[in-house]
Short mmCIF file of all heavy atoms in Angstrom, two decimals:
data_model
loop_
_atom_site.label_atom_id
_atom_site.label_comp_id
_atom_site.label_asym_id
_atom_site.label_seq_id
_atom_site.Cartn_x
_atom_site.Cartn_y
_atom_site.Cartn_z
N ARG A 232 -103.18 211.50 -278.39
CA ARG A 232 -103.47 211.15 -279.73
C ARG A 232 -103.37 212.30 -280.75
O ARG A 232 -103.29 212.14 -281.95
CB ARG A 232 -104.79 210.55 -279.88
CG ARG A 232 -105.95 211.47 -279.46
CD ARG A 232 -107.31 210.68 -279.69
NE ARG A 232 -107.39 209.45 -278.78
CZ ARG A 232 -107.42 208.23 -279.26
NH1 ARG A 232 -107.22 208.01 -280.56
NH2 ARG A 232 -107.47 207.18 -278.50
N GLU A 242 -101.58 208.02 -269.69
CA GLU A 242 -100.92 207.21 -270.58
C GLU A 242 -100.86 207.91 -272.02
O GLU A 242 -101.85 208.48 -272.38
CB GLU A 242 -101.51 205.85 -270.75
CG GLU A 242 -100.74 204.86 -271.72
CD GLU A 242 -101.54 203.65 -272.04
OE1 GLU A 242 -102.33 203.63 -272.90
OE2 GLU A 242 -101.27 202.65 -271.30
N LEU A 244 -98.47 208.00 -276.10
CA LEU A 244 -97.50 207.36 -277.03
C LEU A 244 -96.11 207.84 -276.65
O LEU A 244 -95.85 209.07 -276.63
CB LEU A 244 -97.90 207.78 -278.43
CG LEU A 244 -96.97 207.25 -279.58
CD1 LEU A 244 -97.10 205.61 -279.61
CD2 LEU A 244 -97.35 207.84 -280.92
N THR A 251 -91.53 206.76 -282.98
CA THR A 251 -92.02 205.83 -281.98
C THR A 251 -90.94 204.97 -281.51
O THR A 251 -89.89 204.85 -282.02
CB THR A 251 -93.29 205.02 -282.50
OG1 THR A 251 -92.84 204.30 -283.58
CG2 THR A 251 -94.36 206.02 -282.88
N VAL A 252 -91.30 204.18 -280.35
CA VAL A 252 -90.33 203.27 -279.71
C VAL A 252 -90.91 201.85 -279.87
O VAL A 252 -92.10 201.62 -279.37
CB VAL A 252 -90.04 203.64 -278.33
CG1 VAL A 252 -89.10 202.64 -277.68
CG2 VAL A 252 -89.42 205.05 -278.26
N ASP A 254 -91.37 197.78 -278.97
CA ASP A 254 -91.51 197.05 -277.67
C ASP A 254 -90.48 195.89 -277.65
O ASP A 254 -90.50 195.09 -276.71
CB ASP A 254 -92.93 196.56 -277.54
CG ASP A 254 -93.34 195.52 -278.43
OD1 ASP A 254 -92.62 195.21 -279.40
OD2 ASP A 254 -94.51 194.95 -278.34
N ARG A 279 -97.69 199.58 -272.24
CA ARG A 279 -98.22 198.57 -273.11
C ARG A 279 -97.86 198.89 -274.61
O ARG A 279 -97.39 200.00 -274.84
CB ARG A 279 -99.77 198.41 -273.01
CG ARG A 279 -100.43 199.58 -273.19
CD ARG A 279 -101.96 199.43 -273.18
NE ARG A 279 -102.68 200.76 -273.30
CZ ARG A 279 -104.06 200.76 -273.66
NH1 ARG A 279 -104.69 199.65 -273.77
NH2 ARG A 279 -104.67 201.93 -273.84
N SER A 280 -98.02 198.01 -275.46
CA SER A 280 -97.76 198.20 -276.87
C SER A 280 -99.03 198.02 -277.67
O SER A 280 -99.84 197.17 -277.31
CB SER A 280 -96.53 197.33 -277.41
OG SER A 280 -96.95 195.89 -277.13
N GLY A 281 -99.11 198.75 -278.74
CA GLY A 281 -100.30 198.62 -279.57
C GLY A 281 -100.44 199.77 -280.59
O GLY A 281 -99.82 200.80 -280.44
N PHE A 282 -101.43 199.57 -281.42
CA PHE A 282 -101.83 200.65 -282.49
C PHE A 282 -103.05 201.45 -281.93
O PHE A 282 -104.11 201.32 -282.49
CB PHE A 282 -102.02 199.96 -283.72
CG PHE A 282 -102.01 200.76 -284.97
CD1 PHE A 282 -100.90 201.65 -285.21
CD2 PHE A 282 -103.07 200.75 -285.84
CE1 PHE A 282 -100.84 202.43 -286.39
CE2 PHE A 282 -103.00 201.56 -287.00
CZ PHE A 282 -101.86 202.50 -287.24
N PHE A 283 -102.82 202.23 -280.95
CA PHE A 283 -103.99 202.90 -280.27
C PHE A 283 -104.33 204.33 -280.82
O PHE A 283 -105.39 204.78 -280.62
CB PHE A 283 -103.69 203.00 -278.74
CG PHE A 283 -103.40 201.71 -278.13
CD1 PHE A 283 -102.12 201.52 -277.35
CD2 PHE A 283 -104.28 200.67 -278.11
CE1 PHE A 283 -101.92 200.27 -276.88
CE2 PHE A 283 -104.04 199.42 -277.50
CZ PHE A 283 -102.83 199.19 -276.85
N TYR A 284 -103.23 204.94 -281.40
CA TYR A 284 -103.38 206.23 -282.06
C TYR A 284 -103.12 206.10 -283.49
O TYR A 284 -102.08 206.52 -284.02
CB TYR A 284 -102.53 207.28 -281.45
CG TYR A 284 -102.61 207.47 -279.95
CD1 TYR A 284 -101.66 208.23 -279.27
CD2 TYR A 284 -103.74 207.15 -279.24
CE1 TYR A 284 -101.76 208.44 -277.95
CE2 TYR A 284 -103.73 207.28 -277.86
CZ TYR A 284 -102.78 207.97 -277.21
OH TYR A 284 -102.87 208.24 -275.88
N PRO A 285 -104.00 205.45 -284.27
CA PRO A 285 -103.65 205.11 -285.74
C PRO A 285 -103.15 206.26 -286.58
O PRO A 285 -102.12 206.12 -287.25
CB PRO A 285 -105.00 204.48 -286.22
CG PRO A 285 -105.74 204.04 -285.05
CD PRO A 285 -105.37 204.98 -283.91
N THR A 286 -103.95 207.39 -286.51
CA THR A 286 -103.49 208.53 -287.37
C THR A 286 -102.15 209.08 -286.99
O THR A 286 -101.26 209.24 -287.90
CB THR A 286 -104.58 209.62 -287.17
OG1 THR A 286 -105.82 209.19 -287.51
CG2 THR A 286 -104.19 210.81 -288.05
N LEU A 287 -101.90 209.25 -285.71
CA LEU A 287 -100.60 209.85 -285.26
C LEU A 287 -99.49 208.76 -285.43
O LEU A 287 -98.38 209.17 -285.99
CB LEU A 287 -100.72 210.20 -283.79
CG LEU A 287 -99.48 210.69 -283.03
CD1 LEU A 287 -99.03 212.00 -283.79
CD2 LEU A 287 -99.59 210.97 -281.65
N GLN A 288 -99.77 207.56 -285.14
CA GLN A 288 -98.69 206.55 -285.23
C GLN A 288 -98.24 206.25 -286.76
O GLN A 288 -97.14 206.13 -287.01
CB GLN A 288 -99.03 205.26 -284.56
CG GLN A 288 -99.13 205.33 -282.96
CD GLN A 288 -99.67 204.03 -282.32
OE1 GLN A 288 -100.68 204.14 -281.82
NE2 GLN A 288 -98.91 202.95 -282.45
N SER A 289 -99.22 206.34 -287.60
CA SER A 289 -99.00 206.14 -288.95
C SER A 289 -98.13 207.16 -289.59
O SER A 289 -97.40 207.06 -290.62
CB SER A 289 -100.28 205.98 -289.83
OG SER A 289 -101.07 204.96 -289.31
N SER A 290 -98.16 208.45 -289.03
CA SER A 290 -97.34 209.50 -289.59
C SER A 290 -95.91 209.50 -289.01
O SER A 290 -95.17 210.37 -289.36
CB SER A 290 -98.11 210.77 -289.16
OG SER A 290 -98.02 211.03 -287.79
N LYS A 291 -95.58 208.49 -288.18
CA LYS A 291 -94.26 208.53 -287.54
C LYS A 291 -93.49 207.37 -288.06
O LYS A 291 -93.96 206.42 -288.74
CB LYS A 291 -94.41 208.32 -285.99
CG LYS A 291 -95.23 209.45 -285.27
CD LYS A 291 -94.49 210.76 -285.37
CE LYS A 291 -95.33 211.81 -284.50
NZ LYS A 291 -94.64 213.15 -284.54
N THR A 292 -92.18 207.41 -287.81
CA THR A 292 -91.31 206.29 -288.13
C THR A 292 -90.84 205.78 -286.77
O THR A 292 -90.90 206.42 -285.73
CB THR A 292 -90.08 206.69 -288.94
OG1 THR A 292 -89.34 207.76 -288.18
CG2 THR A 292 -90.48 207.19 -290.24
N VAL A 293 -90.50 204.51 -286.72
CA VAL A 293 -89.93 203.90 -285.47
C VAL A 293 -88.45 204.24 -285.35
O VAL A 293 -87.66 203.86 -286.22
CB VAL A 293 -90.12 202.41 -285.39
CG1 VAL A 293 -89.67 201.74 -284.20
CG2 VAL A 293 -91.53 202.04 -285.76
N CYS A 317 -89.37 197.04 -286.83
CA CYS A 317 -90.72 197.02 -286.05
C CYS A 317 -91.80 197.59 -286.83
O CYS A 317 -91.63 198.50 -287.70
CB CYS A 317 -90.55 197.66 -284.63
SG CYS A 317 -89.36 196.91 -283.63
N ARG A 318 -92.97 197.21 -286.56
CA ARG A 318 -94.27 197.69 -287.05
C ARG A 318 -94.87 198.61 -285.93
O ARG A 318 -94.61 198.47 -284.80
CB ARG A 318 -95.23 196.69 -287.46
CG ARG A 318 -94.67 195.88 -288.57
CD ARG A 318 -95.72 194.75 -288.94
NE ARG A 318 -95.83 193.91 -287.84
CZ ARG A 318 -96.96 193.08 -287.79
NH1 ARG A 318 -97.90 193.05 -288.72
NH2 ARG A 318 -97.16 192.25 -286.69
N HIS A 319 -95.79 199.58 -286.29
CA HIS A 319 -96.41 200.36 -285.35
C HIS A 319 -97.35 199.65 -284.30
O HIS A 319 -97.61 200.22 -283.22
CB HIS A 319 -97.21 201.51 -286.14
CG HIS A 319 -96.45 202.57 -286.67
ND1 HIS A 319 -95.44 203.30 -285.95
CD2 HIS A 319 -96.27 203.01 -287.98
CE1 HIS A 319 -94.84 204.17 -286.74
NE2 HIS A 319 -95.24 203.99 -287.96
N ILE A 320 -97.75 198.46 -284.66
CA ILE A 320 -98.53 197.68 -283.69
C ILE A 320 -97.67 197.34 -282.48
O ILE A 320 -98.21 197.01 -281.34
CB ILE A 320 -99.04 196.42 -284.29
CG1 ILE A 320 -100.21 195.87 -283.44
CG2 ILE A 320 -98.06 195.41 -284.55
CD1 ILE A 320 -100.93 194.67 -284.06
N GLU A 321 -96.42 197.59 -282.57
CA GLU A 321 -95.35 197.35 -281.53
C GLU A 321 -94.99 198.56 -280.76
O GLU A 321 -94.12 198.52 -279.90
CB GLU A 321 -94.19 196.61 -282.02
CG GLU A 321 -94.52 195.22 -282.65
CD GLU A 321 -93.24 194.70 -283.40
OE1 GLU A 321 -92.44 193.98 -282.69
OE2 GLU A 321 -93.07 194.98 -284.52
N ASP A 322 -95.64 199.66 -281.10
CA ASP A 322 -95.27 200.98 -280.42
C ASP A 322 -95.64 200.98 -278.89
O ASP A 322 -96.59 200.53 -278.51
CB ASP A 322 -96.02 202.18 -281.12
CG ASP A 322 -95.50 202.45 -282.56
OD1 ASP A 322 -94.37 201.94 -282.89
OD2 ASP A 322 -96.17 203.17 -283.28
N ILE A 323 -94.65 201.55 -278.16
CA ILE A 323 -94.83 201.64 -276.75
C ILE A 323 -95.69 202.79 -276.28
O ILE A 323 -95.51 203.94 -276.80
CB ILE A 323 -93.45 201.75 -276.08
CG1 ILE A 323 -92.76 200.50 -276.15
CG2 ILE A 323 -93.67 202.15 -274.55
CD1 ILE A 323 -93.27 199.29 -275.39
N HIS A 324 -96.64 202.59 -275.51
CA HIS A 324 -97.53 203.57 -274.84
C HIS A 324 -97.22 203.49 -273.36
O HIS A 324 -97.19 202.48 -272.69
CB HIS A 324 -99.03 203.41 -275.10
CG HIS A 324 -99.40 203.58 -276.53
ND1 HIS A 324 -100.11 204.62 -276.96
CD2 HIS A 324 -99.13 202.75 -277.58
CE1 HIS A 324 -100.34 204.55 -278.26
NE2 HIS A 324 -99.71 203.35 -278.64
#
Side-chain angles (χ1 to χ4, degrees):
R232 66 177 58 252
E242 181 188 88
L244 178 66
T251 61
V252 178
D254 67 359
R279 58 178 177 161
S280 56
F282 197 51
F283 305 120
Y284 302 165
T286 303
L287 179 61
Q288 289 175 249
S289 298
S290 68
K291 302 290 184 180
T292 58
V293 182
C317 297
R318 298 177 300 162
H319 284 303
I320 195 172
E321 301 172 85
D322 287 348
I323 290 293
H324 293 252

